[in-house]
Amino acid sequence: AGTARAGRARERRSWRASARRTPMVRATTRDERARVYIEHTDAYGVVFYANYFAFASNAAEALGRVAAGGGGGGANAGFDERAEPYAWTVETYRRATEEHRRLGTKSDGASTAAREELQSCMEFCASYGGLLLNPALAGTFPQSEWAAGRGACQLLDAMRTVGGIPHGYLERLATRCEDEGLDEIAERVFDELRVSTRGMSPLGEFDEHLKVMYQLCSVKAFATALVKHKRWVPMKSHLSAINGRQFETESVLGWFFRPSVLPDILGCGEPDCVGPYFSNVTKRLKRDVEASYGMLRGCGNRLVEGLYQILFVMLKHGGDVRQGVLNYLDAFMRVNAGRGKMRIHPQVVASHGGAHNLSMVALRLAMPFLDPQSGKYDKISPAYVRSRACRINLTDETRVACTADEAVAAKLSTSEDKEDWGFICECFYITGRALHLGYVKCIAEYAACTREIQDMREAVRDLRGMLDQQLMSSPERERYERKHEEMTAEIERALERNLQFDCALRDPRLISEAMQYYRLVAVWLMRIVATNGDYEAGNGFTFAQITMDKFPQTCPVAFGCLPEYVIEDLVEFILYISRYAPDALDHEPLDEIMNFFITFMGNTAFVKNPYLRCKFVEVLRHWIPFEDGYQSQKLMTLFEVNPVSLKNLIPSLLYLYVDIEFSGGANQFYEKFNVRYQIGELCEYLWSVQSHRNAWIKLASEDPEFYTRFLNMLINDAIYLLDEAMKKLPEVRQTETDMQDQAAWEARPQQEREERESEFRQTRRHLRSNLTLAMVHVRMMAYTSCDIAHPFLRPEMVERVAAMLNYFLLFLAGPERRKLKIKNPEKYGWEPKELLGMITDIYVQIYAADKDKAFIAAIAADGRSYRDEVMLEAAAIARGLQLRSERRVAAFEKLAADARTRASEDEEEETDLGDIPDEFLDPIYCTLMRDPVKLPSGHSCDRSIITRHLLSDETDPFSRQPLTADQLVPDDDLREKIAAFIADRKSASGR
């Protein structure tokens, strides 16, 4: 047996050598090729091939001719178009594989010899199959016109048959052809695969193409050929010459990534996945929409899973293939940098679907290291973004806490830098960038679409109201009716787009995976700061070890150089699910993210952008546990049990409240009110939690200078917002009165009516906004003044507080209050009874803490708004409408009596003093100075007045130079002169 096996081995080697030289080259017909096989194999081979020819269609006849010595009779004698030469080699390989499997592991000589011969058979099939596929040898071997035209793509045809490609065939083919035409074969194959999913929607038959691509990429030689393909990264050496849309259509995988339900300027492909599922939105039942979501998400997830498997198997090959995959991802993001801008140009960037699918695939590649408890994030170095090997182009990106020049200066030195940062590190950053350009950008587009729908609906309501109220001529009415129909149709189309976004973005699996990534981001960022940038020294560092008390005073370079979008995307994602998928919050751990928000919310050293920190507040505002009927025990635990929250949340919120005043943004004046409204909503809830109330009281006691600044801004906002609202209420009332007389209204010129109606709509919007914002601020003063009254009584604050309360009490209880009465006040948030009750509460609560009667003196000294009769009327209204308890009303009446007495005393003193010399008057308010201080500019001011000015503007009001309270010097000489003046005048009057 041993001798026989050795002989057969020699014959095989000889046959292979001769076969490479001449036999197959000379064979011109299928019959001759069959003879070559039979002449160059032993007895078992003849039996096997006879069995195979009997198995193959139309092959028995050919075998008979070969056995009889017939040579054929022409190039196509005995040829069967259903069994092309290449397909024949594949089927032969399949049968050999089946025979080999049947022999199993039998150890007898015959079985062993048979297995060896079958292995040889499979080698021959792969070898000659490669020759038939090689484009360089086209025309060398006889094939039908169709087969010759298909060339290397016959491999795809074989892979797409019902039986598919036999196991092990691709590996053998790659091995036999690796140095003899594999790159050329692969180029043709991948060129055809590239466009196989072109124009396909998520409902298309892409599974087969994904399977074929996966099978090819599973073989390292084919994967290597793929990453060397000229279209793997189109224009690789001149990447700036190609845009994102071109890259998507030209790259090998571009069309594979594109199928998506997300809207695109070129449509979503075929079969139609929009019309049948999202048209007639307003008439569809919710369960029907959800059923459509489920089906389309299932198709999308199949696509993403297939793409993930392709890239994953390529990454497993390592070496050049892994680098090729990373290069592809890097190139995709570089040519699509425009997707990171606020407004994108869809003609020059990849489709939403392509970018979104790529971000989902990147996310799945990162899944193995996303658990913050695994410790694998030890390998994610923050220094990567300062490395010259960094794949992410951050040239135009804003950094978290440093300027562009500082980021350049912080580049790693040659000794610090390295070429290979490891796959986990690179994958982490690539995933973050992919999400930024894909999933998170789609979230921003969805939010913009939602706002657009709201604006259009409001415009339609206004137009409908105009049509219902006005008498128009027929042509004019028809024109407005057409406009109404067009706007309604546009809303319908916008709702379709909205549902497309919603279907793709609110996928539960996607949300879960993205949450895991951003949880890791939160922990990772906290760790960078907690280790003061020495990240590698923190290996093994756990989240539980992070405490705010140990944070450095200055921002570490490693943290400051990170791109700002890392934090911004985290916030935008959490904000998205908080708004549109709140149920998902109950299934995900949130402690890391909550602590991250609290840590950086009020800290200007680590996150420079105040509006980014304001986004943290917006998220927490959505997390209030019992908001809008939504109750969550888990969210309640975050606020009322989490130790970081109990200790630091209130200080962080109040620090941000102050910091937003000095943000310097173009729209800061208006934007700050929205942010402070959200802070006010949060604070109102937190005040009801005793631990947070204690933290608030502690902050006011330990840092009175900061708290006074906060209180000053709170009062400024309340004054501005309420004052604006009080001015608009009479305007609304007047317009309502005019429109109530329909005959007189319709008699006015049409242009005048349209202008008045437009102004009226705008005034109503502003009124509603101002009142909503103002009520939050007044409520905050009402509930905090009960336990924290002393800041209201500071010299620089007490007059301001008294003037504000007197001013608005005059509106609410004075003779002009009837002008504030409007129709349906609840639509505007106008609640005069509640507002009057809160103002009386503030009066009484500050009065109760006023041991030195400073508050009473300030009330009485307010010559602009103080009226004794108004205070008495306010008490009568509160008692008559039972706005407050009798005890509280009686306390307010006592305050009014004390103020009346003090006003009388002040009037007498003013009479005694007579004309006051100008040098004794404060140059800002022209009031008698009681505690004069000198400014660096040489002017003297009353301390309380200049200190109040510095709360809002830290500059000298005369020289505009920087000025702080510690630069104020007591003017003792002037104080003595003023005291002597007062004494002399009182003495002269006999007092």
Side-chain angles (χ1 to χ4, degrees):
T3 302
R5 283 196 297 274
R8 284 194 294 272
R10 284 193 298 274
E11 287 181 15
R12 284 196 300 275
R13 287 195 295 273
S14 174
W15 185 87
R16 289 173 187 157
S18 62
R20 290 194 182 97
R21 289 194 298 273
T22 56
M24 285 297 290
V25 175
R26 290 198 304 269
T28 58
T29 68
R30 179 175 172 184
D31 297 344
E32 290 177 13
R33 289 196 295 274
R35 184 188 301 113
V36 172
Y37 276 107
I38 294 173
E39 288 177 353
H40 291 82
T41 53
D42 60 8
Y44 183 86
V46 173
V47 173
F48 168 76
Y49 284 113
N51 287 336
Y52 173 71
F53 275 102
F55 167 79
S57 63
N58 206 31
E61 180 182 349
L63 181 60
R65 288 197 298 273
V66 172
N76 292 320
F79 183 80
D80 182 4
E81 290 184 355
R82 295 171 299 172
E84 296 285 358
Y86 179 72
W88 187 86
T89 64
V90 174
E91 289 304 320
T92 301
Y93 187 100
R94 187 191 311 281
R95 185 55 188 270
T97 303
E98 293 171 356
E99 294 290 341
H100 191 281
R101 186 169 57 251
R102 289 192 188 98
L103 290 173
T105 57
K106 296 178 181 178
S107 58
D108 60 280
S111 298
T112 301
R115 281 195 295 272
E116 291 179 0
E117 294 306 327
L118 290 168
Q119 289 287 351
S120 297
C121 174
M122 289 186 275
E123 290 285 342
F124 298 151
C125 291
S127 178
Y128 289 113
L131 294 173
L132 291 166
L133 295 175
N134 191 342
L137 300 177
T140 303
F141 307 107
Q143 302 185 68
S144 70
E145 184 179 347
W146 176 86
R150 291 294 292 158
C153 294
Q154 292 180 87
L155 175 60
L156 294 179
D157 299 332
M159 298 176 73
R160 289 167 176 163
T161 58
V162 176
I165 206 75
H167 178 71
Y169 177 84
L170 291 175
E171 289 81 356
R172 289 181 187 273
L173 177 65
T175 302
R176 299 295 297 176
C177 302
E178 191 163 7
D179 299 323
E180 301 177 8
L182 181 65
D183 288 346
E184 291 78 5
I185 294 171
E187 182 176 356
R188 300 291 180 86
V189 167
F190 289 125
D191 274 341
E192 178 165 313
L193 266 179
R194 181 180 70 85
V195 295
S196 60
T197 59
R198 182 167 56 188
M200 194 176 287
S201 78
L203 301 178
E205 299 294 334
F206 53 76
D207 299 87
E208 180 184 87
H209 306 300
L210 287 172
K211 179 182 177 182
V212 170
M213 181 66 83
Y214 174 78
Q215 288 176 323
L216 290 170
C217 293
S218 298
V219 180
K220 186 173 183 179
F222 275 103
T224 302
L226 175 57
V227 298
K228 292 191 295 184
H229 193 289
K230 63 183 179 181
R231 291 183 184 272
W232 175 247
V233 177
M235 302 288 289
K236 182 177 181 180
S237 57
H238 303 284
L239 203 58
S240 59
I242 190 172
N243 63 45
R245 182 68 68 163
Q246 293 168 331
F247 188 93
E248 183 177 61
T249 57
E250 293 296 323
S251 63
V252 175
L253 291 180
W255 286 108
F256 279 85
F257 276 101
R258 195 179 183 285
S260 172
V261 72
L262 288 167
D264 184 65
I265 56 171
L266 301 180
C268 294
E270 295 294 334
D272 185 10
C273 64
V274 179
Y277 302 98
F278 301 125
S279 60
N280 298 320
V281 177
T282 54
K283 298 178 182 178
R284 286 182 178 270
L285 297 176
K286 184 177 180 180
R287 64 172 179 268
D288 294 337
V289 174
E290 291 295 335
S292 299
Y293 280 5
M295 188 274 294
L296 291 169
R297 286 170 183 166
C299 295
N301 276 319
R302 287 204 328 274
L303 174 69
V304 169
E305 183 63 24
L307 291 168
Y308 158 71
Q309 293 294 342
I310 290 168
L311 293 189
F312 180 70
V313 77
M314 293 179 71
L315 289 168
K316 286 173 65 177
H317 292 315
D320 292 341
V321 180
R322 172 177 287 186
Q323 288 303 313
V325 173
L326 296 177
N327 288 339
Y328 172 80
L329 296 173
D330 175 36
F332 182 96
M333 291 182 287
R334 284 180 182 271
V335 298
N336 283 292
R339 287 188 59 85
K341 297 178 180 179
M342 184 173 294
R343 299 191 67 174
I344 64 175
H345 300 287
Q347 297 86 354
V348 296
V349 295
S351 63
H352 287 320
H356 176 256
N357 287 335
L358 184 108
S359 65
M360 293 176 69
V361 171
L363 195 55
R364 293 192 186 178
L365 291 173
M367 286 302 294
F369 60 83
L370 292 188
D371 183 0
Q373 306 303 324
S374 69
K376 290 183 180 179
Y377 63 86
D378 286 345
K379 300 178 182 178
I380 305 170
S381 174
Y384 177 76
V385 298
R386 296 184 288 140
S387 169
R388 288 161 181 81
C390 177
R391 294 180 183 275
I392 311 300
N393 183 9
L394 300 175
T395 305
D396 299 325
E397 293 294 337
T398 304
R399 307 303 177 106
V400 171
C402 71
T403 64
D405 292 338
E406 290 171 340
V408 172
K411 284 285 187 182
L412 297 178
S413 65
T414 305
S415 59
E416 296 172 316
D417 208 345
K418 52 186 177 181
E419 292 296 325
D420 185 9
W421 291 85
F423 176 73
I424 289 180
C425 182
E426 291 202 281
C427 185
F428 173 81
Y429 284 99
I430 286 174
T431 302
R433 183 67 172 173
L435 288 167
H436 177 63
L437 301 177
Y439 183 45
V440 177
K441 183 59 182 178
C442 289
I443 287 175
E445 293 291 304
Y446 174 60
C449 183
T450 302
R451 289 193 297 271
E452 180 186 356
I453 291 171
Q454 291 172 347
D455 293 342
M456 286 192 294
R457 280 176 168 167
E458 186 169 346
V460 168
R461 281 196 299 269
D462 292 341
L463 183 59
R464 186 74 262 171
M466 188 185 308
L467 287 169
D468 292 341
Q469 290 180 7
Q470 294 189 14
L471 294 176
M472 302 180 182
S473 61
S474 296
E476 185 180 12
R477 175 169 288 278
E478 289 176 3
R479 181 167 60 87
Y480 275 95
E481 289 287 359
R482 283 196 303 271
K483 185 177 180 181
H484 183 270
E485 291 175 3
E486 291 170 0
M487 294 173 69
T488 303
E490 181 60 30
I491 290 177
E492 189 74 18
R493 290 191 291 272
L495 286 171
E496 276 188 17
R497 296 195 300 273
N498 198 264
L499 288 182
Q500 288 176 261
F501 277 115
D502 191 42
C503 176
L505 302 179
R506 203 160 47 86
D507 182 351
R509 177 175 178 180
L510 172 58
I511 287 176
S512 177
E513 292 174 351
M515 177 63 85
Q516 291 183 62
Y517 177 81
Y518 286 117
R519 280 182 58 216
L520 175 66
V521 169
V523 174
W524 179 71
L525 291 171
M526 293 277 281
R527 170 174 158 166
I528 295 172
V529 177
T531 57
N532 200 14
D534 191 8
Y535 193 85
E536 284 71 16
N539 287 350
F541 190 91
T542 63
F543 180 73
Q545 293 174 270
I546 298 175
T547 59
M548 291 178 64
D549 297 337
K550 297 181 180 179
F551 273 24
Q553 294 298 315
T554 58
C555 179
V557 174
F559 185 87
C561 286
L562 293 172
E564 190 177 80
Y565 70 74
V566 172
I567 298 177
E568 185 177 11
D569 289 352
L570 182 157
V571 183
E572 291 294 345
F573 168 71
I574 300 298
L575 186 57
Y576 166 74
I577 62 172
S578 299
R579 284 173 174 168
Y580 303 109
D583 291 342
L585 298 174
D586 286 332
H587 306 297
E588 304 293 343
L590 298 172
D591 291 270
E592 298 97 338
I593 293 174
M594 178 73 167
N595 292 359
F596 173 82
F597 288 160
I598 295 172
T599 301
F600 296 110
M601 185 190 306
N603 196 318
T604 59
F606 296 100
V607 181
K608 295 291 188 181
N609 186 346
Y611 291 107
L612 181 54
R613 290 183 281 118
C614 290
K615 288 284 186 179
F616 302 172
V617 177
E618 194 171 352
V619 172
L620 297 184
R621 165 65 180 75
H622 283 283
W623 284 7
I624 294 178
F626 309 108
E627 188 68 15
D628 300 327
Y630 176 72
Q631 298 187 9
S632 171
Q633 188 67 31
K634 182 174 183 177
L635 294 178
M636 187 177 72
T637 301
L638 288 177
F639 285 102
E640 302 183 17
V641 178
N642 184 329
V644 175
S645 173
L646 294 177
K647 181 178 180 182
N648 299 300
L649 181 52
I650 284 293
S652 293
L653 288 170
L654 300 190
Y655 286 140
L656 179 60
Y657 189 103
V658 172
D659 182 54
I660 196 64
E661 182 79 17
F662 309 104
S663 62
N667 298 317
Q668 63 166 357
F669 182 75
Y670 300 101
E671 291 176 355
K672 73 177 183 180
F673 292 126
N674 292 324
V675 175
R676 288 174 172 173
Y677 167 76
Q678 293 166 356
I679 292 175
E681 291 275 285
L682 266 170
C683 287
E684 188 169 354
Y685 158 64
L686 296 175
W687 184 261
S688 65
V689 181
Q690 188 61 49
S691 298
H692 287 293
R693 185 182 301 189
N694 294 340
W696 198 326
I697 295 171
K698 181 180 179 182
L699 175 64
S701 174
E702 294 181 351
D703 194 350
E705 298 300 327
F706 162 76
Y707 196 82
T708 302
R709 173 167 293 187
F710 157 72
L711 186 60
N712 178 66
M713 293 177 183
L714 179 69
I715 291 172
N716 287 345
D717 287 355
I719 290 173
Y720 172 81
L721 292 167
L722 272 178
D723 194 37
E724 287 292 301
M726 297 301 175
K727 292 175 182 176
K728 287 182 172 58
L729 283 167
E731 295 178 17
V732 171
R733 176 184 172 86
Q734 183 61 50
T735 304
E736 288 179 342
T737 302
D738 292 344
M739 294 175 70
Q740 190 171 5
D741 186 347
Q742 191 170 356
W745 180 255
E746 292 171 356
R748 296 172 182 262
Q750 180 180 336
Q751 183 176 353
E752 179 187 344
R753 294 200 311 269
E754 291 179 356
E755 290 176 356
R756 289 280 303 275
E757 287 168 355
S758 177
E759 292 174 2
F760 183 50
R761 288 192 295 270
Q762 185 175 3
T763 300
R764 287 190 303 177
R765 283 195 295 269
H766 289 168
L767 176 60
R768 184 165 51 246
S769 174
N770 289 336
L771 285 172
T772 301
L773 297 173
M775 293 298 282
V776 168
H777 290 74
V778 176
R779 275 198 298 270
M780 188 182 294
M781 285 190 285
Y783 59 73
T784 57
S785 61
C786 180
D787 293 326
I788 313 175
H790 58 277
F792 291 89
L793 295 169
R794 288 174 65 95
E796 62 269 31
M797 292 303 303
V798 66
E799 291 180 3
R800 179 82 164 150
V801 173
M804 178 198 73
L805 295 175
N806 289 344
Y807 180 69
F808 292 116
L809 192 68
L810 184 61
F811 271 105
L812 296 170
E816 303 294 319
R817 66 177 184 271
R818 297 193 182 280
K819 293 182 180 180
L820 306 181
K821 188 175 182 180
I822 58 176
K823 293 180 180 179
N824 303 316
E826 63 279 356
K827 289 198 310 184
Y828 306 95
W830 174 228
E831 301 173 1
K833 297 177 183 178
E834 181 184 354
L835 182 59
L836 177 61
M838 289 191 294
I839 287 178
T840 57
D841 285 342
I842 299 170
Y843 268 117
V844 170
Q845 287 161 182
I846 297 175
Y847 173 64
D850 183 21
K851 307 302 181 185
D852 299 327
K853 302 298 181 181
F855 184 50
I856 292 296
I859 292 173
D862 177 23
R864 176 191 179 192
S865 303
Y866 170 69
R867 304 285 189 278
D868 178 53
E869 64 275 14
V870 171
M871 300 196 79
L872 294 175
E873 181 66 16
I877 294 172
R879 179 177 286 113
L881 298 178
Q882 298 183 345
L883 301 181
R884 291 297 183 267
S885 66
E886 179 58 33
R887 181 179 178 183
R888 178 58 59 98
V889 174
F892 182 77
E893 288 177 328
K894 186 174 186 302
L895 175 149
D898 287 352
R900 188 183 313 116
T901 301
R902 181 57 188 258
S904 176
E905 294 172 355
D906 289 347
E907 186 177 352
E908 292 176 356
E909 183 181 43
E910 184 177 356
T911 302
D912 293 342
L913 296 178
D915 292 334
I916 301 174
D918 289 345
E919 64 173 316
F920 297 163
L921 295 175
D922 178 83
I924 298 177
Y925 279 13
C926 294
T927 55
L928 179 65
M929 289 186 280
R930 303 288 180 172
D931 183 10
V933 292
K934 281 186 177 181
L935 279 61
S937 59
H939 294 82
S940 293
C941 293
D942 191 80
R943 181 185 296 275
S944 63
I945 293 174
I946 188 63
T947 304
R948 188 188 314 157
H949 164 79
L950 294 177
L951 291 174
S952 302
D953 183 4
E954 291 189 326
T955 61
D956 188 316
F958 305 100
S959 67
R960 306 310 299 168
Q961 295 299 309
L963 177 66
T964 57
D966 57 5
Q967 293 178 277
L968 304 177
V969 179
D971 192 342
D972 295 329
D973 291 341
L974 183 57
R975 180 186 297 102
E976 291 175 1
K977 290 180 181 179
I978 293 172
F981 168 76
I982 294 173
D984 289 346
R985 289 298 177 91
K986 287 186 175 182
S987 175
S989 63
R991 297 182 187 279

